[in-house]
Amino acid sequence: MTRERPWVMRTYSGHTSARASNELYRTNLAKGQTGLSVAFDLPTQTGYDPDHLLARGEVGKVGVPVPHLGEMRTLFDQIPLEDMNTSMTINATAMWLLSLYIALAEERGEDVSKLSGTTQNDIVKEYLSRGTFIFGPVPSRRLTVDLITHTVRNVPKWNPINVCSYHLQEAGATPVQEIAYAMANAIGVLDGVLESGQVSAEEMPAMVGRISFFVNAGIRFVEETCKLRAMGRLWTRIVEERYGVKDEKLARFRYGVQVNSLGLTEAQPENNVQRIVLETLAVTLGRDSRARAIQLPAWNEALGLPRPWDQQWSLRIQQVLAFETDLLEYPDIFEGSKVMEAKTSELEEAANTELQWVLDGGGAFLMIDELKGRLVQSHADRVRRIESGDITVVGVNSYTETAPSPLAEGIDGESAILVVDPAGEAAQLESLNTWRDNRDPGAVKNAIEELSRIAETTDNLVPATIALARAGGTVGEWSDALRDIFGEYRAPTGVGGVMGAPRDELVAVRERIRVATENNGGPIRLLVGKPGLDGHSNGAEQIAVAARDAGLEVIYQGIRLTPAQICAAAQDEDVDVIGLSILSGSHLELVPETVRLLRAAGVDAPVVVGGIIPEQDQVILLAAGVSRVYTPKDFRISEIISDLADLGLQHRLGTFRST
């Protein structure tokens, strides 16, 4: 029997600086990794240079900063681009980062037509879940379309978009919603390609053939396996009927995967290893639905950034599956299974109905508000089921008795997670200033003016973007030029129309607080704020929904706020408690600054923080005046809301004293 080639094996990585990340990439490649998956930091993702006010505390935290061509040179030093399969998890600034990559290849004399890899380039899921958008749906779709049409013609081995249902599941999507919204997203993009006038109907099959997907694989093995089979069937039918694609190769559902980071737990984190392995099986066992590329999270990502050794462990999981087992030696082992066939058909039919609802409403780009609301509702239902025990999470809401974990405690006094050097941000600012001083300002000015001119037309923006990259422009300059033309966008929070699931605990909190505040100014006022560039808003949204259900008055203005903006809102709204949510690792910079501004402005309301916050950092935050720190182990939202209500009540009655 012929043994199939294994999938492309990646680890999602990048941190601190291009030099540090380059060393990590070359080390991982030497260990047998067969592709790169670049994690960019939040300023790079959201179009800010490292010295921008909103970039403070975020530089190099959740990925590598790559604001200009000089950093791209360093990032891929000694890595031949023609021979590499590179995935870039980048969306709003996807055009800019791929242009830097192309400019680097041209500078080196490498053949651009041989470049292979993927830009995620999926803006819809940024509005719905991840939050690293810049522009509104219409100009964002134009950027996506321009990148697709340019690459298919000029970089034919590149996947210009990875329609990303991964984050939809993280935001609460059911399997049916994940399938339907991903398909609606892809249809919206391909319809945009046609409507742009840049390609003919005869060229559409080639465009369709470069569309790939990035999918989440959760712990419900049978359902997740069938989900992928249903997606493949539905996609093949859509592209044949809607775009006339007859070539089986071009109509194929091509996808990469990262298994479910949402399911990783801070409590008993060693359980995450078996979760990762089992979830990987869902996308490897069946040949007809096997992923083409896989990147696995590390066991300790609910604690913080993984170390190189942790990433090696995840790589070895893939290698054991591919090279030690016999799963690549057989045809599809699920063919003929009545169980798999029935569940696949059920998901396909339900997803097709949900998809039609989106299309009838005008498509994914016009239905952002409605889709966001449905995801927040689904996530609220899931959170309630975990809290009630309807969904079992081992080590979290069941089987919680445990011995101390030697993995989580670290080895020989070293941290169990990677701690980013705080000096890295200062080094990036110095590097940026040096880059600006040594470039030709006239060439940059001319390139920006040409980019702005093209943005006012319907011409493709990629050539002008590549020209700015060659001239020495920065991600902030590229984004600012387009902001001047397209404006900026505030995405819907999805909180307003969500109906909270019944919780007896919240009913009790509501009555207790109502009685206590009846003659003391009405409902407790809670401000939920997300300082910095972190766009992971799922937790903040669920707190806002539950607090409202408990009778608190909630002020939630969405993501991407400065400490000063949060302070101003707290003053204007006369709030009783302030909840900050940060998952990007920037809590030590942003939270103390927010507390300082609040106290200087005379706001004495208690401040609480939620996020992935290591124990040693929790001590620092409490010493800085934070009243409570909540982490993923605090999964009982009813208890959190009760705590917030008590703090707010103390403030209302004058018994709370801030430090």
Side-chain angles (χ1 to χ4, degrees):
M1 175 116 10
T2 302
R3 185 179 178 87
E4 280 197 340
R5 290 178 59 187
W7 52 90
V8 176
M9 299 181 189
R10 299 184 173 117
T11 52
Y12 179 57
S13 53
H15 65 86
T16 309
S17 68
R19 176 59 61 201
S21 299
N22 172 262
E23 292 172 1
L24 178 62
Y25 295 164
R26 288 189 286 116
T27 298
N28 287 346
L29 290 169
K31 292 175 180 177
Q33 186 173 301
T34 54
L36 294 178
S37 181
V38 182
F40 295 98
D41 73 351
L42 287 173
T44 303
Q45 292 185 53
T46 52
Y48 295 107
D49 287 335
D51 59 352
H52 193 279
L53 176 63
L54 275 169
R56 182 186 174 192
E58 306 281 16
V59 179
K61 282 289 170 61
V62 299
V64 55
V66 187
H68 53 72
L69 184 57
E71 299 293 356
M72 187 65 81
R73 289 172 186 153
T74 303
L75 186 65
F76 288 97
D77 182 37
Q78 302 178 59
I79 299 174
L81 304 187
E82 286 183 9
D83 301 334
M84 187 50 53
N85 189 298
T86 302
S87 172
M88 300 188 192
T89 303
I90 197 73
N91 297 284
T93 57
M95 183 182 289
W96 176 251
L97 271 301
L98 183 56
S99 293
L100 291 178
Y101 196 75
I102 291 171
L104 176 61
E106 291 174 340
E107 183 179 85
R108 289 181 176 181
E110 298 191 61
D111 187 347
V112 171
S113 68
K114 293 182 179 179
L115 299 180
S116 64
T118 303
T119 35
Q120 196 167 90
N121 197 26
D122 176 359
I123 204 65
V124 168
K125 66 94 171 157
E126 295 302 317
Y127 300 138
L128 298 179
S129 57
R130 182 61 185 83
T132 66
F133 50 82
I134 302 174
F135 315 111
V138 173
S140 291
R141 188 168 80 151
R142 175 192 173 176
L143 294 175
T144 302
V145 166
D146 283 0
L147 191 61
I148 291 172
T149 56
H150 180 89
T151 52
V152 171
R153 288 174 174 162
N154 299 282
V155 198
K157 294 184 177 180
W158 195 267
N159 299 315
I161 183 172
N162 223 201
V163 177
C164 185
S165 72
Y166 174 87
H167 290 91
L168 301 184
Q169 186 179 127
E170 300 253 305
T174 64
V176 167
Q177 290 172 328
E178 186 178 348
I179 298 169
Y181 301 167
M183 295 297 146
N185 188 356
I187 289 170
V189 168
L190 287 172
D191 284 357
V193 169
L194 262 178
E195 293 164 9
S196 73
Q198 297 185 57
V199 301
S200 64
E202 291 73 24
E203 293 178 286
M204 279 304 295
M207 299 289 165
V208 171
R210 298 315 305 169
I211 304 296
S212 61
F213 291 76
F214 187 66
V215 183
N216 203 325
I219 198 66
R220 289 173 59 80
F221 173 85
V222 174
E223 189 170 55
E224 293 295 286
T225 301
C226 294
K227 178 187 76 180
L228 271 304
R229 299 170 82 84
M231 290 183 87
R233 290 184 188 179
L234 192 53
W235 177 246
T236 299
R237 179 161 57 82
I238 287 170
V239 299
E240 180 177 350
E241 295 176 357
R242 196 174 185 98
Y243 305 109
V245 181
K246 305 297 183 184
D247 187 323
E248 181 181 338
K249 184 177 180 181
L250 296 178
R252 185 179 303 152
F253 176 68
R254 300 180 307 120
Y255 79 98
V257 68
Q258 174 164 314
V259 305
N260 186 14
S261 294
L262 178 66
L264 301 182
T265 63
E266 178 187 14
Q268 298 181 26
E270 61 277 5
N271 294 338
N272 295 329
V273 177
Q274 51 265 38
R275 291 184 178 109
I276 291 168
V277 173
L278 291 168
E279 289 165 352
T280 306
L281 290 177
V283 294
T284 55
L285 278 183
R287 188 185 67 178
D288 291 350
S289 58
R290 184 170 295 139
R292 294 198 165 205
I294 297 175
Q295 59 190 48
L296 302 183
W299 68 276
N300 55 350
E301 288 190 23
L303 307 177
L305 285 176
R307 302 157 299 184
W309 182 86
D310 306 311
Q311 292 193 328
Q312 174 185 298
W313 195 356
S314 289
L315 175 61
R316 295 293 184 249
I317 289 172
Q318 296 200 56
Q319 290 169 330
V320 169
L321 282 174
F323 301 118
E324 292 192 26
T325 75
D326 58 352
L327 66 86
L328 294 176
E329 297 175 9
Y330 292 94
D332 192 86
I333 63 174
F334 298 122
E335 185 177 355
S337 166
K338 293 181 180 179
V339 171
M340 289 293 188
E341 178 60 33
K343 187 62 179 177
T344 299
S345 296
E346 174 192 324
L347 289 173
E348 181 184 3
E349 182 179 346
N352 192 52
T353 300
E354 186 80 357
L355 169 61
Q356 196 56 53
W357 169 74
V358 180
L359 297 179
D360 290 345
F365 283 84
L366 292 180
M367 292 279 282
I368 299 297
D369 289 28
E370 292 84 354
L371 298 183
K372 180 67 174 179
R374 287 202 175 191
L375 291 178
V376 173
Q377 183 69 67
S378 293
H379 198 195
D381 295 341
R382 179 181 180 274
V383 168
R384 180 196 59 78
R385 293 180 66 205
I386 292 175
E387 191 171 349
S388 67
D390 290 345
I391 294 176
T392 296
V393 182
V394 174
V396 175
N397 64 0
S398 63
Y399 310 107
T400 54
E401 293 298 321
T402 182
S405 170
L407 285 177
E409 291 174 358
I411 300 172
D412 296 331
E414 293 187 3
S415 173
I417 57 174
L418 177 69
V419 179
V420 174
D421 185 353
E425 183 165 332
Q428 282 301 126
L429 297 182
E430 182 179 349
S431 173
L432 177 64
N433 289 331
T434 300
W435 176 261
R436 288 172 176 159
D437 290 342
N438 292 329
R439 65 187 185 175
D440 181 347
V444 174
K445 179 176 180 292
N446 291 338
I448 290 174
E449 289 176 351
E450 178 63 7
L451 176 72
S452 299
R453 185 189 71 79
I454 295 295
E456 296 274 21
T457 72
T458 58
D459 293 345
N460 194 297
L461 276 162
V462 176
T465 299
I466 295 174
L468 178 58
R470 289 196 203 104
T474 67
V475 66
E477 290 166 338
W478 177 83
S479 302
D480 284 346
L482 296 183
R483 283 184 178 99
D484 288 342
I485 308 297
F486 300 148
E488 284 196 87
Y489 182 68
R490 296 292 294 177
T493 66
V495 169
V498 174
M499 298 295 293
R503 289 186 178 95
D504 292 341
E505 299 90 341
L506 291 185
V507 172
V509 172
R510 173 190 285 271
E511 182 58 21
R512 177 166 56 84
I513 298 302
R514 185 193 66 77
V515 171
T517 60
E518 198 164 22
N519 298 311
N520 290 284
I524 299 297
R525 296 170 65 80
L526 166 67
L527 173 65
V528 178
K530 285 194 65 63
L533 296 176
D534 170 38
H536 283 106
S537 59
N538 302 333
E541 290 158 2
Q542 294 309 311
I543 290 293
V545 169
R548 187 191 62 200
D549 291 346
L552 279 68
E553 184 175 338
V554 178
I555 300 97
Y556 176 50
Q557 299 172 324
I559 63 173
R560 218 178 296 173
L561 301 171
T562 65
Q565 288 172 321
I566 291 172
C567 177
Q571 284 183 290
D572 292 344
E573 301 289 350
D574 191 24
V575 297
D576 298 297
V577 62
I578 300 159
L580 306 178
S581 169
I582 304 178
L583 287 89
S584 65
S586 59
H587 45 268
L588 290 184
E589 293 83 5
L590 295 176
V591 173
E593 174 65 6
T594 304
V595 173
R596 185 189 68 79
L597 291 175
L598 288 167
R599 301 311 179 229
V603 179
D604 61 355
V607 177
V608 305
V609 182
I612 299 176
I613 302 175
E615 288 187 9
Q616 63 269 26
D617 292 356
Q618 295 176 33
V619 174
I620 297 172
L621 294 179
L622 292 171
V626 170
S627 296
R628 302 283 191 278
V629 177
Y630 305 104
T631 68
K633 71 177 184 299
D634 301 302
F635 72 97
R636 297 190 184 281
I637 287 187
S638 298
E639 294 180 2
I640 295 175
I641 300 304
S642 179
D643 202 16
L644 295 179
D646 285 341
L647 286 170
L649 183 59
Q650 291 171 30
H651 177 261
R652 178 67 61 81
L653 299 178
T655 59
F656 174 80
R657 294 291 179 268
S658 62
T659 57

